[in-house]
Amino acid sequence: MSLYKQLWLAIIFILTLVFGGAFLVNTYSAKSYLQQQLGIKNADNANALALSLTQQDADEVLLELTLAAQFDTGFYEYIELTDPDGRVMMYRQDNSPITEAPAWFIALFPLEIDPGLAAIQKGWQQVGTLTLRSHSRFAYAELWQGSQKLAGVFLVAMVLAGSLGTYLLKIILQPLDDVVEQAEAIGERRFISIPEPRTREFRQVVSAMNELSQRIKKVLQAEAKRLEKWQREAHIDKVTALLNREPFVQALDAALESDDVNATGSLSLLRIKGLAELNRNYGRRAIDLMLKDMGTELNRIAGSHSRWAAARMNGSDFGLLAPRSMDAKAATAEAQDAMQAALEKHNMQDTVQLPAATIIYEHGNKLGELLTLLDGALQSAEQSEDSPIQQAFMGDVQVKPVREQLDDWRRIFDRAFSNGDFSLTQFPVVDLDEKLLHFEAPVRLELDGQLLSAGRFLPWINRLELSEELDKQVIKLALQKIEASGEPVAVNLSVAAVVDASFIPWMSQQLSMNEAAAAKLWLELSESMAFRHLDSFKKLCARARSFGTKIGIEHMGHQLAELGQLADVGVDYFKIDASFVRGVDENAANQTLLRTLCTVGHSIGVIVLAEGVRTPEEWAALRELGADGGTGPGIELS
């Protein structure tokens, strides 16, 4: 029961007690007063009437007429005249019921009025005794009207007191709304802080809750820094601050098997020709400084694009993984120019060549074949005297220019949106008991009788700026699938879902129209997009949670330094990127990362799931490390 209801009940209860007491005291006092006054009035009326009859010589006819006329005035309950022997000479009585007050009121407060007595004489001889009593209906009417007025005064006082109390309570409890909001936020894994109110009791509560939120944030920030430091030590080249070969190859392998926008892009290798000779000529310290600047420039390029990665493959070779990049030579040229700038900074541009090779990869390509083709192209480029960019092709098939491909895909998408050629497939995501958590439902495109995986066409959706339209299509399909099967479904959203202001209102309308299905819908955004647009992502989370929809972050683990920012977002689950799951049963470095990431996630009430589990051994290792579930061919739904 709310405080406002309790306040009203308390006011009603107290004022009812006060009214009851006042009613009894007032009514009994008025009753006593009226009884006394009516008794005096009866005596006066009897004496006055007896004196009048005595002066008329007490003629029997006049006596009867006078008394009858007096009774007919309606002010008397009865009039009785008896002779000296006690015989009734005349008796008049009003037997009509009293209607001036309710029967229960009359029964509760009976009036006991003394009648008036007087002797009627004729000379010195007593003719008879006159007895009369005024009617009590007028007294009851007065009592009842007074009680009604008293009740009205108390009713008005009750309404005024309740209204004033409600208003004052609203002012007093205004800080409580913030406290409730903060408590609800903490329940939703959003550890926010609010201003401390002036009320001492509320200030103590808010101060304690703010301290809790700040403590959680500090723990997350500390763990994020520790994770980042450990990751740098385990995965990062100490000279260039770029990825080492192993995590870079794992990221590439995961991209090739992924079923999203990152499944297509470009892969580049760049080589510093004659690095050993440079070390002899310039000294190791000078070359290390130059390599450090190269690493800084390559990290700058990778950091400016979602999910791009740069690595030092070995002493002289550098790699650039550029998901969603359809112009392979453009991405490679950008990296080559950055490395050239580092050479110029150290005045080495005239003595160093930077041959490069690049290739477009697609979902389903084999990792070994891809790297073999790229190595061959790099060796061919190294034979040239300048620094060319050699592009390799899978199957030795030259691809169309990007502009022509864009035109082709635009026609395909126009037809697909018009004809409803998009659909959702599904893969189970299970908990530790291998029970279904939800179905992961990547989008598919039907083209020429075949279903294209998301990795084949999503890069072109992005380039043609159709991501928001596809997101809307995906949500509609997911809600339909939930209504048809009753099973929870998870779908991926693009960056358009958080950067386009019109998407959240549209999503709210769709979820409000399908509330039952909305409660079984899981939405997820990639880690890079969530952190890059964190404020907008918070708004998306808040709106989705209001309908019971769960929100998660996929491909988690690449931006561990940003983990502390999730303290007040309120996500429901993480999906660890498949690159960290690859061979985790044998990779001690990734085991440490995943164990800590699971611990951090659990500390803020987040479910931690693993992507791309390929073998039972990986699944067993993930269970030991603290994961709450996973998906992939290495897991079977029980």
Side-chain angles (χ1 to χ4, degrees), residues 234-254:
H235 291 173
I236 302 299
D237 177 67
K238 292 180 173 56
V239 177
T240 61
L242 297 171
L243 285 175
N244 291 323
R245 179 184 178 88
E246 182 180 1
F248 181 81
V249 172
Q250 288 176 344
L252 173 61
D253 191 20

Side-chain angles (χ1 to χ4, degrees), residues 235 243-253 267-269 308-313 318-322 367 371:
H235 291 173
L243 285 175
N244 291 323
R245 179 184 178 88
E246 182 180 1
F248 181 81
V249 172
Q250 288 176 344
L252 173 61
D253 191 20
L267 175 65
S268 304
L269 286 181
W308 283 30
R312 188 180 185 186
M313 307 295 288
F318 295 80
L320 179 66
L321 178 63
L367 176 63
L371 292 177

Side-chain angles (χ1 to χ4, degrees), residues 265-295:
S266 67
L267 175 65
S268 304
L269 286 181
L270 302 98
R271 176 170 294 169
I272 302 177
K273 190 174 180 179
L275 183 61
E277 185 178 351
L278 290 175
N279 276 317
R280 290 192 298 269
N281 294 336
Y282 291 95
R284 187 174 187 84
R285 179 177 176 80
I287 296 303
D288 283 350
L289 289 175
M290 182 269 293
L291 292 174
K292 180 180 179 181
D293 289 339
M294 280 188 176

Side-chain angles (χ1 to χ4, degrees), residues 54 174 199 248 251 349 355 421 461:
T54 298
Q174 190 171 8
T199 307
F248 181 81
Q349 67 275 15
D421 292 336
I461 285 281

Side-chain angles (χ1 to χ4, degrees), residues 173-207:
L173 296 182
Q174 190 171 8
L176 185 62
D177 294 337
D178 295 334
V179 176
V180 171
E181 182 180 351
Q182 185 183 36
E184 291 175 346
I186 291 176
E188 295 172 351
R189 300 168 298 282
R190 293 185 295 117
F191 299 92
I192 63 174
S193 297
I194 62 175
E196 294 185 4
R198 289 179 293 181
T199 307
R200 183 180 64 183
E201 291 78 7
F202 289 152
R203 185 168 64 247
Q204 292 173 345
V205 174
V206 171
S207 177

Side-chain angles (χ1 to χ4, degrees), residues 10-248:
I11 291 174
I12 292 172
F13 177 73
I14 293 172
L15 288 183
T16 300
L17 290 179
V18 173
F19 169 74
F23 173 74
L24 292 175
V25 171
N26 180 74
T27 305
Y28 276 111
S29 298
K31 172 189 171 184
S32 298
Y33 175 76
L34 290 173
Q35 287 180 159
Q36 181 183 8
Q37 293 300 313
L38 285 174
I40 295 173
K41 178 177 179 295
N42 288 339
D44 291 344
N45 288 349
N47 289 327
L49 186 57
L51 179 62
S52 175
L53 293 174
T54 298
Q55 291 175 353
Q56 298 176 12
D57 294 331
D59 180 75
E60 291 186 8
V61 176
L62 289 175
L63 282 174
E64 186 173 354
L65 290 174
T66 302
L67 292 177
Q70 191 70 23
F71 180 79
D72 290 340
T73 61
F75 292 108
Y76 296 96
E77 183 178 346
Y78 70 86
I79 295 178
E80 182 182 42
L81 179 64
T82 59
D83 62 14
D85 296 329
R87 292 190 298 270
V88 177
M89 299 174 60
M90 190 197 75
Y91 182 79
R92 296 285 189 277
Q93 184 177 9
D94 185 357
N95 293 320
S96 61
I98 300 173
T99 59
E100 283 75 9
W104 63 266
F105 185 81
I106 296 172
L108 186 63
F109 301 104
L111 291 175
E112 299 175 357
I113 304 170
D114 295 331
L117 298 174
I120 302 174
Q121 295 180 330
K122 186 177 181 180
W124 295 101
Q125 181 182 2
Q126 182 176 350
V127 176
T129 302
L130 178 65
T131 305
L132 61 80
R133 184 162 64 186
S134 298
H135 212 296
S136 59
R137 64 163 58 92
F138 304 105
Y140 279 119
E142 189 66 26
L143 277 178
W144 177 241
Q145 289 176 5
S147 300
Q148 287 179 311
K149 291 178 182 179
L150 182 64
V153 170
F154 271 92
L155 181 61
V156 172
M158 187 183 299
V159 173
L160 291 176
S163 301
L164 181 61
T166 300
Y167 175 72
L168 293 176
L169 186 63
K170 185 176 182 180
I171 295 176
I172 294 172
L173 296 182
Q174 190 171 8
L176 185 62
D177 294 337
D178 295 334
V179 176
V180 171
E181 182 180 351
Q182 185 183 36
E184 291 175 346
I186 291 176
E188 295 172 351
R189 300 168 298 282
R190 293 185 295 117
F191 299 92
I192 63 174
S193 297
I194 62 175
E196 294 185 4
R198 289 179 293 181
T199 307
R200 183 180 64 183
E201 291 78 7
F202 289 152
R203 185 168 64 247
Q204 292 173 345
V205 174
V206 171
S207 177
M209 295 180 71
N210 282 344
E211 184 178 352
L212 171 64
S213 294
Q214 291 301 321
R215 189 181 300 121
I216 294 295
K217 286 183 178 180
K218 289 179 181 178
V219 169
L220 279 178
Q221 291 170 353
E223 288 296 327
K225 291 180 180 178
R226 189 166 70 88
L227 272 172
E228 183 192 23
K229 180 181 178 182
W230 172 87
Q231 189 179 40
R232 291 183 65 85
E233 292 176 352
H235 291 173
I236 302 299
D237 177 67
K238 292 180 173 56
V239 177
T240 61
L242 297 171
L243 285 175
N244 291 323
R245 179 184 178 88
E246 182 180 1
F248 181 81

